[in-house]
Amino acid sequence: MANARDPVIFPPSCSIVFIILQLLSCSVPAKGKADFSVCGPGKTVLAVLGENVELPCHLSLNISAKDMELRWYRDQPSQVVHLHKNGTDLKEEQMREYQGRTTFLSARLDQGKATVKIHNVTVFDNGTFHCNFKDGTVSAEARLLLTVAGLGLKPRIQVRAVQGEGFWAQCTSEGWYPEPQVRWRDFRGQALPSMTRLSASPTTGLFAVVSNVTIQDKEVWGLFCSISSPLLRKKKMVNHHLPPPLSRSFPSMAWRTVLPLILTVAGLATVGATCLFQKCQKDRNMVQLKEDFMKQRSSTPK
């Protein structure tokens, strides 16, 4: 059994190199009882995460490949993706990552055409494959470039007010490959400057997105956050309504208007209470003096 291959994520920046290799997708003709070469699809194969993808190869001559050894592999021939020999799939030769994930399509072998289907595509399938056709001691092969892309989860927005009557908003999502593009816009369609951080999971290779914006413009009453895949040309979007500008400033405006009135009323009430207390105290003193005077008159002999 082949040794397990360490997973390698091929960054999208390597695509240019592989595209150049695709120009040489047909191998140099083999020399032997029959001169033949092997051709790949001639273009980059695009695969979507979680779906199936086919890697086709064919002989340059219209001859049968039924009696040939057909091998799909990654960087080295020992890193077997699928091996078909003597009419049988040799699954024990496969890399661990591809066991139970491949199907050999042999319907057109008599025309020199064969295809390996990979099921449940992952990030680690991204990169170069080889297909090798061997007839006895004669062999030829072609290179194929598989580019993997996937849409992540629908974005989520969190918003909170910040000092200065502005807003801070954060847009998050997970499950993207390769690196997605993030754009913020207001409801008027104007782009908003943002700070975005992308991080790849060490286990899945998928990218998580965290993007922040700060809104100071009181006329901005809604936000759009869109995250898109440049390869699939698809995006996912979320929007968030902000409170109207008047309602944002209403509490502070109301307090500025009402507070002086409250203080004035409180002051008048205090003065009124003080005057009332003094008046009551004065009236009480007068009543007491009158009572004392009457007592003195009643106690004086006539």
Side-chain angles (χ1 to χ4, degrees):
M1 180 179 291
N3 294 331
R5 176 174 175 269
D6 293 334
V8 177
I9 302 175
F10 288 81
S13 60
C14 295
S15 297
I16 296 177
V17 177
F18 290 119
I19 290 173
I20 295 174
L21 294 176
Q22 285 299 106
L23 298 177
L24 304 175
S25 60
C26 288
S27 63
V28 177
K31 300 296 181 180
K33 59 183 179 182
D35 293 344
F36 64 85
S37 61
V38 177
C39 297
K43 61 181 181 180
T44 300
V45 179
L46 180 62
V48 179
L49 280 172
E51 298 185 5
N52 303 332
V53 65
E54 296 183 357
L55 302 178
C57 289
H58 64 277
L59 294 171
S60 58
L61 302 177
N62 189 18
I63 58 177
S64 175
K66 285 186 176 180
D67 297 328
M68 294 185 179
E69 175 186 299
L70 309 178
R71 180 188 300 260
W72 274 253
Y73 67 91
R74 295 303 301 259
D75 297 331
Q76 301 295 330
S78 60
Q79 298 172 345
V80 176
V81 175
H82 195 99
L83 178 60
H84 184 84
K85 184 177 181 181
N86 298 325
T88 303
D89 295 328
L90 303 181
K91 298 181 180 180
E92 64 273 11
E93 298 291 332
Q94 286 181 298
M95 297 168 58
R96 183 178 66 252
E97 293 90 339
Y98 291 99
Q99 292 177 0
R101 291 182 56 222
T102 61
T103 300
F104 184 73
L105 307 180
S106 59
R108 304 175 70 182
L109 269 181
D110 56 346
Q111 302 174 28
K113 299 178 180 180
T115 299
V116 167
K117 178 185 286 187
I118 298 177
H119 302 271
N120 191 23
V121 170
T122 72
V123 167
F124 303 106
D125 297 322
N126 190 73
T128 302
F129 289 77
H130 303 259
C131 57
N132 181 282
F133 286 46
K134 185 177 181 182
D135 184 8
T137 59
V138 180
S139 67
E141 66 179 40
R143 296 184 182 92
L144 304 89
L145 174 63
L146 179 63
T147 299
V148 176
L151 295 177
L153 300 176
K154 182 178 180 179
R156 304 173 299 278
I157 288 184
Q158 295 180 353
V159 177
R160 71 167 183 256
V162 295
Q163 188 175 5
E165 300 180 4
F167 282 90
W168 171 89
Q170 184 177 81
C171 181
T172 58
S173 181
E174 303 84 28
W176 295 84
Y177 192 85
E179 295 96 328
Q181 297 175 344
V182 183
R183 289 187 174 88
W184 286 88
R185 295 188 182 276
D186 61 24
F187 275 24
R188 297 169 295 185
Q190 295 182 354
L192 300 173
S194 62
M195 296 188 62
T196 300
R197 179 171 56 88
L198 304 175
S199 58
S201 167
T203 55
T204 66
L206 300 178
F207 286 91
V209 179
V210 178
S211 184
N212 301 324
V213 294
T214 300
I215 308 299
Q216 296 290 346
D217 187 356
K218 295 182 180 180
E219 297 303 318
V220 175
W221 52 275
L223 300 172
F224 282 110
C225 173
S226 66
I227 305 178
S228 60
S229 166
L231 294 179
L232 298 177
R233 296 183 180 180
K234 294 181 178 180
K235 64 183 178 181
K236 293 190 175 182
M237 182 182 298
V238 65
N239 62 71
H240 187 92
H241 291 269
L242 297 176
L246 180 61
S247 65
R248 299 182 211 172
S249 58
F250 177 77
S252 58
M253 292 176 59
W255 275 111
R256 291 171 188 169
T257 304
V258 173
L259 184 58
L261 181 60
I262 293 176
L263 293 176
T264 301
V265 173
L268 292 175
T270 302
V271 172
T274 302
C275 293
L276 181 61
F277 175 78
Q278 292 176 349
K279 183 177 183 301
C280 291
Q281 188 66 32
K282 183 178 180 180
D283 291 345
R284 186 180 302 172
N285 292 338
M286 291 296 295
V287 170
Q288 186 65 42
L289 289 173
K290 186 176 181 180
E291 289 179 353
D292 292 342
F293 177 75
M294 294 300 295
K295 287 180 181 179
Q296 289 179 358
R297 284 188 61 183
S298 61
S299 60
T300 301
K302 294 183 180 180

